[in-house]
Structure formats: C-alpha cells, structure tokens
Amino acid sequence: MHGRRLATLDEIIGLAAPDSDDIVDIVKSWAKSNDIGVTVLDVGTDITNGHIEREKTTLGISIGGDGTFLEAARSLAPFQIPLMGVNSGTLAFLARVEPMDVKDALTAVYRGRASVNARQQYEVTAGDIETTGINEMFLQKHPPEDRYGTKVGSLHVFVDEEYVGEYFGSGLIISTPTGSTGRAYSNHGPVHYPQNNRTLQIIPHETISAAVDPIVVSQDSEIDIVLDADFDIDIDGGRQFERLEADTVVRITGANQPVQTVRTEYDDAFITALVDKLDWGLRTVDNNGPQSALESRPASSNFEERAARVAREAARSAGEPLRELHGQVENVEYKTDKSDIVTEADYQANYIIQTAINSEFPEHVVQSEENDQIVPEDGYGWIVDPLDGTGNFAHGNPNYSISIALLKDRKPVLGVVYAPESEEMFYAIDGEGAYQNGHEIQPTSRDRLDESMLLSGYDPNGEFLQAFYHETQGVRRLGSAALNLAYVAAGSADAVWEHDTHPWDVAAGLCILQEVGGEATDQYGSSYELSFNATNQRTPLLASNGSVHQPLVSHIERASSMNEWRH
Ligand code: IPD
Ligand code: CA
Ligand code: CA
C-alpha cells in the first residue's frame, strides 16, 4: 500500500448508473448488517452538504463504469471523501472492484485494510467553462462546414508564461496521470503510474510536425492555450463538450483538491490492469498469477518489514487529523498537572493507530499512553505515543510527533517516529539500518563537549541546562522526546537529556538511535532500561551519538561532586 490507511467508516454515499440495482442492493444490505448509514443517488445528481453527515468517516462509492466514477470523483473531491469504484460490467480502468468482490472490498475498508491515494485532477477555464476533471481535456479542431474544409488548426501553448510553441494539427490533449492510459496513450503519451503522481502532460493530437514530443509539467504549472481557429473542448471523454471560438484562451492547471481513491486487495493492481486491458507485452497474466522475474520472486514475507510498513501507514494516517487540528485545540484535559495535558487530537490519533495495528496483528497487545494495556514480557507487543509533544501541539508549535514501536520480549525491534508538520518519517528495524524518508541516517561523530549541540527534554530544576549550556555550543529544548531521539540519530544534535521518560515516549526513538550506534544510559552511565510497570514509573535518559557519551557522563559526575547536580 502506498497511501494513507483508511481507518474508520460510519457512512457510505454512492452514485449509481442505471441498471446497477443488483449491486446497489448488495451495498445496502452489507451496510445494514454492519450498522452503517447508506445513501445511493442516481449518477448525475450533485452531491451536496445535505447528503453527507460525517465527511471524515464517509466512503464514496461509484457503481457503474468509468463515466460514473468520473462523475462521483468530481462531485466528491470538494469534500475529500475517498472513492471506491465498482465496475458494473463495462470495460473500466477506474472502477476496479468487480461486482462479486463488493462485499469483501467493503469489509476490507471497514476493517482498516484499505489505503487512500491522492489522484491529481486538472482545473480548466475557457470561455464560460470552469470545471475540473480527472482524466484529460481534449481540444479538437471544430469540423469544417463542408467535407473539403481544413481539419487542422494552430494552438499556441505557454507554460508559466514561457512560450512553448505552435501546435499545428487536429488538436491537443492535456492529461493527468490517471488519464495517461486513455486518449493520451493512443497519441503516444507515456503511461504514468497514477498514485500520488502530481503532474500534467501535454500531448499533441495528430500533429502535422513529426518532431513534437509529449511534455510533462508539474501540477502547479499554468498552461495557457490560445486558439487560432474554432476548436471543440471535451472534458473527460464527453462529460462536458462545447465549441470554443478562435482567440479563446484555455487555461489549465492542477486542481487544488485531488480525488481520494480507495484501494483494497480487490482492486486490480495498476500494471496488471494494463496488461489485461491494453495487452501489454512486458508480461502476461494467467490464472497462475503474474509471470516475470521480479513478480515471481516471493513477496517480502519478512514479518518486521510488514510490521514497519503497517506502522508507517498508521503514523501517516494519524498525522492527518493532527495536521488538521494543530493549533486549534480548544478542549484540553489536565492529567496530573498543568503541563500534563491530553486533547481530542491525542484520542483520535490513538484510535487510528490502534485500528490499523489491530487489523493487521489482532493477536498483539498495543500499549499506548492513552490506554491501560501493558505489553507482555514475552513475544511481540506494540508501544505507542499517538501524540508526543502535546504541549507544543496545543500551542500551535510544529514540533510534535507520533511514536510507534514494536517490541519483542520487551526489547524494541522496530521504531517509527513521524513528524506530521514536516513530514519527516524516521524508522528503523533492528539490524537493518535506520532511515529518514527512505535515506539512511547516521549520527554525528563528535566527541568533544565544546563542539556539541545538545537537546533537553523535561529538566525540572534546570540542572542539565546549567551544567552544559556554557560547556557546549548550546542546549535546545524542543518539546518531543521521540523526535529528539530521532534528531540525535540523524545527526542534527549530538545528545539529549530527559529527566524522566515513559516507555511510549522513547521506545521507537531508542530503536532508531541504537540502530545507528548511539548510546542510551541514565545520568550515571548505567544502561537505560524501558520500564513497563503499571505504577507509572518513569526513568531518566541520557542518549547520544555514542562518541560524546563518556564526556557527558564525566561532566555530570563532576557537577554532582560540586553539588550542582542533585538528581
Ligand atoms: C512529553 C514530551 C516532552 C517530554 C515529556 C513527555 P507528551 O510527552 O515528550 O518532550 O519532556 O516528558 O511527557 O505528554 O507530549 O506525550
Ligand atoms: Ca510523550
Ligand atoms: Ca503523548
């Protein structure tokens, strides 16, 4: 899965083509038996606020062919409701769930086993037209009055005000990645893998000039097309069709809102659909599955890798509501004192992460700051801080994170720390290196205090600050223990101090740090142990790149002997 995970489902809104009553009935009876609200409208009806109760937990479903899917995509995009396409019998690229799989696909969504991927839309203005589409916009020379008249014309194209040139031929196609397998493909455009691909491409249609190739531009580029003659504009294969007069300027750019499409294991995979539907020669698909060297290699069955993928997806999914609620928190609950707070956002993120892990690993205990579970002494268990740095979060400061660790016999074997605002994803699997957004990370090799930059967490009496501020290049107090550890592992600080830690604050960060050779002890240099007991015992933590560790411990010893460090 490449996108975020869809974790909750309370309501379904559907658009159905005529003659799809059988499938509509299946959807309705499935919804009823799972106590989920359902509304199905005829394709062509505009979906409005009145049809939707809970945007965030609503699933959109199109029942028909690609035309119905395109209509539903346009109608649902403003609400950012994810869309699943059921194919009711025609050849379809977008509606990819077959009728016999509908119930299973819905169950997969319900159980948190679906991912949501963003698909680029375009936004076009021309004359009176102002609309969006997900496939392609096609400009075709308006047919001549008599059959001997010219069927070609000129189009002048600009990208971000740079003149690209004159396209002389029967027309031009501007396609999204999703549209790349349609009209653009028949005109020698490249196939784009559509998931999370944010581009537009300019494809000449039956151009007279031989040396004109497709151009791919970013979703943010503005493409202006000036018509030298009358052309017909066709939005997404006939959804809107109009004649434009000579001198009209057509402006097309990426739409701000992508279409959120839902994928389950019941969708045809993209390349498989290509092989099937376009008869691609690169490989064949038969009942024995895909045949190619790569595909026939066993899929990664490594348990930790699968767990790491689930943890990263869970973190990304939980990051979405956090980004939305960031800085606008009104209901803060106080747990033990005025700085120990929890918000609605902590609970939402916690729910998403637990749902995602439970659906993949129902046999595992998930301990979290926001529940009363305790990971078992033996075997696997998860430990989660759904929002580390709630204080920062509630004040609109971006330095907060999500921390997810998998433990085996209470030792971290996998750690994921994700910072939603900066989209920094740190992760490590024991023995397999540590990464930030796909790039291997390493800590610094500094071993001198006077060259080091330190981080501090909770430091109630300011002892750490006092002891080290003048000895080093500075002590920064950022506000998320999990992220501090990830920063030390990635080399943007040399060490970190926390006066007390819970296991959920640090288990993931420590896994990442240990993987790159960092060190974690208490203030006296005795090795750090995660403490799991139910009495909420907290432990001090001094963690570093490894090489500056001994100088740190020796300096604390000196400060203690002079009574400047009392804990
Ligand atoms: C806190 C943060 C903070 C640390 C505290 C933690 P929370 O976690 O990690 O940086 O100094 O000790 O409790 O409450 O925001 O999850
Ligand atoms: Ca925490
Ligand atoms: Ca927390």
mmCIF file with all atom_site columns, all heavy atoms in Angstrom, residues 369 385 387-390 457-458 479-481 498 500 505, ligand 1:
data_model
loop_
_atom_site.group_PDB
_atom_site.id
_atom_site.type_symbol
_atom_site.label_atom_id
_atom_site.label_alt_id
_atom_site.label_comp_id
_atom_site.label_asym_id
_atom_site.label_entity_id
_atom_site.label_seq_id
_atom_site.pdbx_PDB_ins_code
_atom_site.Cartn_x
_atom_site.Cartn_y
_atom_site.Cartn_z
_atom_site.occupancy
_atom_site.B_iso_or_equiv
_atom_site.pdbx_formal_charge
_atom_site.auth_seq_id
_atom_site.auth_comp_id
_atom_site.auth_asym_id
_atom_site.auth_atom_id
_atom_site.pdbx_PDB_model_num
ATOM   1   N N   . GLU A 1 369 ? 0.023  5.479  25.518 1.00 0.00 ? 369 GLU A N   1
ATOM   2   C CA  . GLU A 1 369 ? -0.132 6.451  26.598 1.00 0.00 ? 369 GLU A CA  1
ATOM   3   C C   . GLU A 1 369 ? -1.610 6.621  26.935 1.00 0.00 ? 369 GLU A C   1
ATOM   4   O O   . GLU A 1 369 ? -1.960 6.929  28.060 1.00 0.00 ? 369 GLU A O   1
ATOM   5   C CB  . GLU A 1 369 ? 0.460  7.805  26.198 1.00 0.00 ? 369 GLU A CB  1
ATOM   6   C CG  . GLU A 1 369 ? 0.275  8.814  27.308 1.00 0.00 ? 369 GLU A CG  1
ATOM   7   C CD  . GLU A 1 369 ? 0.970  10.134 27.126 1.00 0.00 ? 369 GLU A CD  1
ATOM   8   O OE1 . GLU A 1 369 ? 1.457  10.423 26.017 1.00 0.00 ? 369 GLU A OE1 1
ATOM   9   O OE2 . GLU A 1 369 ? 1.016  10.882 28.115 1.00 0.00 ? 369 GLU A OE2 1
ATOM   10  N N   . ASP A 1 385 ? 3.005  6.242  21.408 1.00 0.00 ? 385 ASP A N   1
ATOM   11  C CA  . ASP A 1 385 ? 2.578  7.566  21.887 1.00 0.00 ? 385 ASP A CA  1
ATOM   12  C C   . ASP A 1 385 ? 1.945  8.241  20.669 1.00 0.00 ? 385 ASP A C   1
ATOM   13  O O   . ASP A 1 385 ? 2.639  8.618  19.725 1.00 0.00 ? 385 ASP A O   1
ATOM   14  C CB  . ASP A 1 385 ? 3.763  8.387  22.408 1.00 0.00 ? 385 ASP A CB  1
ATOM   15  C CG  . ASP A 1 385 ? 3.275  9.648  23.104 1.00 0.00 ? 385 ASP A CG  1
ATOM   16  O OD1 . ASP A 1 385 ? 2.112  10.037 22.882 1.00 0.00 ? 385 ASP A OD1 1
ATOM   17  O OD2 . ASP A 1 385 ? 4.054  10.242 23.879 1.00 0.00 ? 385 ASP A OD2 1
ATOM   18  N N   . LEU A 1 387 ? 0.647  11.044 20.237 1.00 0.00 ? 387 LEU A N   1
ATOM   19  C CA  . LEU A 1 387 ? 0.990  12.459 20.046 1.00 0.00 ? 387 LEU A CA  1
ATOM   20  C C   . LEU A 1 387 ? 2.016  12.800 21.105 1.00 0.00 ? 387 LEU A C   1
ATOM   21  O O   . LEU A 1 387 ? 1.688  12.917 22.295 1.00 0.00 ? 387 LEU A O   1
ATOM   22  C CB  . LEU A 1 387 ? -0.278 13.328 20.174 1.00 0.00 ? 387 LEU A CB  1
ATOM   23  C CG  . LEU A 1 387 ? -0.125 14.843 20.196 1.00 0.00 ? 387 LEU A CG  1
ATOM   24  C CD1 . LEU A 1 387 ? 0.844  15.354 19.151 1.00 0.00 ? 387 LEU A CD1 1
ATOM   25  C CD2 . LEU A 1 387 ? -1.471 15.506 19.997 1.00 0.00 ? 387 LEU A CD2 1
ATOM   26  N N   . ASP A 1 388 ? 3.263  12.888 20.703 1.00 0.00 ? 388 ASP A N   1
ATOM   27  C CA  . ASP A 1 388 ? 4.324  13.223 21.639 1.00 0.00 ? 388 ASP A CA  1
ATOM   28  C C   . ASP A 1 388 ? 4.673  14.692 21.435 1.00 0.00 ? 388 ASP A C   1
ATOM   29  O O   . ASP A 1 388 ? 5.080  15.093 20.340 1.00 0.00 ? 388 ASP A O   1
ATOM   30  C CB  . ASP A 1 388 ? 5.549  12.333 21.384 1.00 0.00 ? 388 ASP A CB  1
ATOM   31  C CG  . ASP A 1 388 ? 6.620  12.583 22.426 1.00 0.00 ? 388 ASP A CG  1
ATOM   32  O OD1 . ASP A 1 388 ? 6.309  12.462 23.625 1.00 0.00 ? 388 ASP A OD1 1
ATOM   33  O OD2 . ASP A 1 388 ? 7.750  12.927 22.040 1.00 0.00 ? 388 ASP A OD2 1
ATOM   34  N N   . GLY A 1 389 ? 4.478  15.473 22.490 1.00 0.00 ? 389 GLY A N   1
ATOM   35  C CA  . GLY A 1 389 ? 4.679  16.917 22.359 1.00 0.00 ? 389 GLY A CA  1
ATOM   36  C C   . GLY A 1 389 ? 3.329  17.616 22.329 1.00 0.00 ? 389 GLY A C   1
ATOM   37  O O   . GLY A 1 389 ? 3.127  18.570 21.585 1.00 0.00 ? 389 GLY A O   1
ATOM   38  N N   . THR A 1 390 ? 2.393  17.106 23.143 1.00 0.00 ? 390 THR A N   1
ATOM   39  C CA  . THR A 1 390 ? 1.041  17.693 23.142 1.00 0.00 ? 390 THR A CA  1
ATOM   40  C C   . THR A 1 390 ? 1.072  19.170 23.521 1.00 0.00 ? 390 THR A C   1
ATOM   41  O O   . THR A 1 390 ? 0.281  19.968 23.014 1.00 0.00 ? 390 THR A O   1
ATOM   42  C CB  . THR A 1 390 ? 0.119  16.904 24.101 1.00 0.00 ? 390 THR A CB  1
ATOM   43  O OG1 . THR A 1 390 ? 0.138  15.544 23.701 1.00 0.00 ? 390 THR A OG1 1
ATOM   44  C CG2 . THR A 1 390 ? -1.308 17.398 24.055 1.00 0.00 ? 390 THR A CG2 1
ATOM   45  N N   . GLY A 1 457 ? 14.996 17.581 27.234 1.00 0.00 ? 457 GLY A N   1
ATOM   46  C CA  . GLY A 1 457 ? 13.563 17.424 27.420 1.00 0.00 ? 457 GLY A CA  1
ATOM   47  C C   . GLY A 1 457 ? 13.213 18.027 28.760 1.00 0.00 ? 457 GLY A C   1
ATOM   48  O O   . GLY A 1 457 ? 13.711 19.109 29.126 1.00 0.00 ? 457 GLY A O   1
ATOM   49  N N   . TYR A 1 458 ? 12.396 17.307 29.514 1.00 0.00 ? 458 TYR A N   1
ATOM   50  C CA  . TYR A 1 458 ? 11.984 17.780 30.836 1.00 0.00 ? 458 TYR A CA  1
ATOM   51  C C   . TYR A 1 458 ? 13.232 17.894 31.713 1.00 0.00 ? 458 TYR A C   1
ATOM   52  O O   . TYR A 1 458 ? 13.993 16.940 31.853 1.00 0.00 ? 458 TYR A O   1
ATOM   53  C CB  . TYR A 1 458 ? 10.982 16.770 31.393 1.00 0.00 ? 458 TYR A CB  1
ATOM   54  C CG  . TYR A 1 458 ? 10.369 17.151 32.703 1.00 0.00 ? 458 TYR A CG  1
ATOM   55  C CD1 . TYR A 1 458 ? 9.874  18.436 32.911 1.00 0.00 ? 458 TYR A CD1 1
ATOM   56  C CD2 . TYR A 1 458 ? 10.272 16.217 33.721 1.00 0.00 ? 458 TYR A CD2 1
ATOM   57  C CE1 . TYR A 1 458 ? 9.302  18.780 34.120 1.00 0.00 ? 458 TYR A CE1 1
ATOM   58  C CE2 . TYR A 1 458 ? 9.695  16.540 34.928 1.00 0.00 ? 458 TYR A CE2 1
ATOM   59  C CZ  . TYR A 1 458 ? 9.217  17.827 35.128 1.00 0.00 ? 458 TYR A CZ  1
ATOM   60  O OH  . TYR A 1 458 ? 8.653  18.160 36.320 1.00 0.00 ? 458 TYR A OH  1
ATOM   61  N N   . GLY A 1 479 ? 10.711 19.835 22.762 1.00 0.00 ? 479 GLY A N   1
ATOM   62  C CA  . GLY A 1 479 ? 9.357  19.508 23.236 1.00 0.00 ? 479 GLY A CA  1
ATOM   63  C C   . GLY A 1 479 ? 8.774  18.165 22.852 1.00 0.00 ? 479 GLY A C   1
ATOM   64  O O   . GLY A 1 479 ? 7.664  17.853 23.255 1.00 0.00 ? 479 GLY A O   1
ATOM   65  N N   . SER A 1 480 ? 9.492  17.355 22.081 1.00 0.00 ? 480 SER A N   1
ATOM   66  C CA  . SER A 1 480 ? 9.004  15.997 21.807 1.00 0.00 ? 480 SER A CA  1
ATOM   67  C C   . SER A 1 480 ? 10.165 15.025 22.014 1.00 0.00 ? 480 SER A C   1
ATOM   68  O O   . SER A 1 480 ? 11.139 15.028 21.255 1.00 0.00 ? 480 SER A O   1
ATOM   69  C CB  . SER A 1 480 ? 8.460  15.892 20.374 1.00 0.00 ? 480 SER A CB  1
ATOM   70  O OG  . SER A 1 480 ? 8.451  14.531 19.968 1.00 0.00 ? 480 SER A OG  1
ATOM   71  N N   . ALA A 1 481 ? 10.049 14.194 23.052 1.00 0.00 ? 481 ALA A N   1
ATOM   72  C CA  . ALA A 1 481 ? 11.139 13.284 23.397 1.00 0.00 ? 481 ALA A CA  1
ATOM   73  C C   . ALA A 1 481 ? 11.451 12.328 22.245 1.00 0.00 ? 481 ALA A C   1
ATOM   74  O O   . ALA A 1 481 ? 12.608 12.043 21.936 1.00 0.00 ? 481 ALA A O   1
ATOM   75  C CB  . ALA A 1 481 ? 10.767 12.499 24.645 1.00 0.00 ? 481 ALA A CB  1
ATOM   76  N N   . GLU A 1 498 ? 16.557 13.678 29.200 1.00 0.00 ? 498 GLU A N   1
ATOM   77  C CA  . GLU A 1 498 ? 15.177 13.743 29.708 1.00 0.00 ? 498 GLU A CA  1
ATOM   78  C C   . GLU A 1 498 ? 15.225 13.347 31.174 1.00 0.00 ? 498 GLU A C   1
ATOM   79  O O   . GLU A 1 498 ? 15.670 12.241 31.496 1.00 0.00 ? 498 GLU A O   1
ATOM   80  C CB  . GLU A 1 498 ? 14.264 12.735 28.994 1.00 0.00 ? 498 GLU A CB  1
ATOM   81  C CG  . GLU A 1 498 ? 13.804 13.088 27.615 1.00 0.00 ? 498 GLU A CG  1
ATOM   82  C CD  . GLU A 1 498 ? 12.642 14.080 27.577 1.00 0.00 ? 498 GLU A CD  1
ATOM   83  O OE1 . GLU A 1 498 ? 11.978 14.292 28.622 1.00 0.00 ? 498 GLU A OE1 1
ATOM   84  O OE2 . GLU A 1 498 ? 12.432 14.649 26.502 1.00 0.00 ? 498 GLU A OE2 1
ATOM   85  N N   . ASP A 1 500 ? 12.768 12.484 33.096 1.00 0.00 ? 500 ASP A N   1
ATOM   86  C CA  . ASP A 1 500 ? 12.023 11.236 33.277 1.00 0.00 ? 500 ASP A CA  1
ATOM   87  C C   . ASP A 1 500 ? 11.299 10.879 31.974 1.00 0.00 ? 500 ASP A C   1
ATOM   88  O O   . ASP A 1 500 ? 10.916 11.758 31.211 1.00 0.00 ? 500 ASP A O   1
ATOM   89  C CB  . ASP A 1 500 ? 11.043 11.305 34.445 1.00 0.00 ? 500 ASP A CB  1
ATOM   90  C CG  . ASP A 1 500 ? 10.057 12.443 34.336 1.00 0.00 ? 500 ASP A CG  1
ATOM   91  O OD1 . ASP A 1 500 ? 9.775  12.858 33.206 1.00 0.00 ? 500 ASP A OD1 1
ATOM   92  O OD2 . ASP A 1 500 ? 9.569  12.884 35.393 1.00 0.00 ? 500 ASP A OD2 1
ATOM   93  N N   . ASP A 1 505 ? 7.277  7.260  25.283 1.00 0.00 ? 505 ASP A N   1
ATOM   94  C CA  . ASP A 1 505 ? 7.960  8.447  24.778 1.00 0.00 ? 505 ASP A CA  1
ATOM   95  C C   . ASP A 1 505 ? 9.182  8.060  23.938 1.00 0.00 ? 505 ASP A C   1
ATOM   96  O O   . ASP A 1 505 ? 9.539  8.769  23.010 1.00 0.00 ? 505 ASP A O   1
ATOM   97  C CB  . ASP A 1 505 ? 8.513  9.315  25.934 1.00 0.00 ? 505 ASP A CB  1
ATOM   98  C CG  . ASP A 1 505 ? 7.429  9.907  26.816 1.00 0.00 ? 505 ASP A CG  1
ATOM   99  O OD1 . ASP A 1 505 ? 6.381  10.288 26.285 1.00 0.00 ? 505 ASP A OD1 1
ATOM   100 O OD2 . ASP A 1 505 ? 7.659  9.998  28.050 1.00 0.00 ? 505 ASP A OD2 1
HETATM 101 C C1  . IPD B 2 .   ? 6.091  14.691 26.678 1.00 0.00 ? 1   IPD B C1  1
HETATM 102 C C2  . IPD B 2 .   ? 7.096  15.181 25.664 1.00 0.00 ? 1   IPD B C2  1
HETATM 103 C C3  . IPD B 2 .   ? 8.107  16.069 26.332 1.00 0.00 ? 1   IPD B C3  1
HETATM 104 C C4  . IPD B 2 .   ? 8.812  15.340 27.458 1.00 0.00 ? 1   IPD B C4  1
HETATM 105 C C5  . IPD B 2 .   ? 7.805  14.821 28.467 1.00 0.00 ? 1   IPD B C5  1
HETATM 106 C C6  . IPD B 2 .   ? 6.778  13.935 27.780 1.00 0.00 ? 1   IPD B C6  1
HETATM 107 P P1  . IPD B 2 .   ? 3.606  14.141 25.769 1.00 0.00 ? 1   IPD B P1  1
HETATM 108 O O1  . IPD B 2 .   ? 5.179  13.799 26.052 1.00 0.00 ? 1   IPD B O1  1
HETATM 109 O O2  . IPD B 2 .   ? 7.791  14.130 25.077 1.00 0.00 ? 1   IPD B O2  1
HETATM 110 O O3  . IPD B 2 .   ? 9.091  16.477 25.420 1.00 0.00 ? 1   IPD B O3  1
HETATM 111 O O4  . IPD B 2 .   ? 9.750  16.186 28.065 1.00 0.00 ? 1   IPD B O4  1
HETATM 112 O O5  . IPD B 2 .   ? 8.477  14.083 29.453 1.00 0.00 ? 1   IPD B O5  1
HETATM 113 O O6  . IPD B 2 .   ? 5.818  13.515 28.714 1.00 0.00 ? 1   IPD B O6  1
HETATM 114 O O7  . IPD B 2 .   ? 2.929  14.273 27.092 1.00 0.00 ? 1   IPD B O7  1
HETATM 115 O O8  . IPD B 2 .   ? 3.557  15.374 24.979 1.00 0.00 ? 1   IPD B O8  1
HETATM 116 O O9  . IPD B 2 .   ? 3.181  12.904 25.070 1.00 0.00 ? 1   IPD B O9  1
#
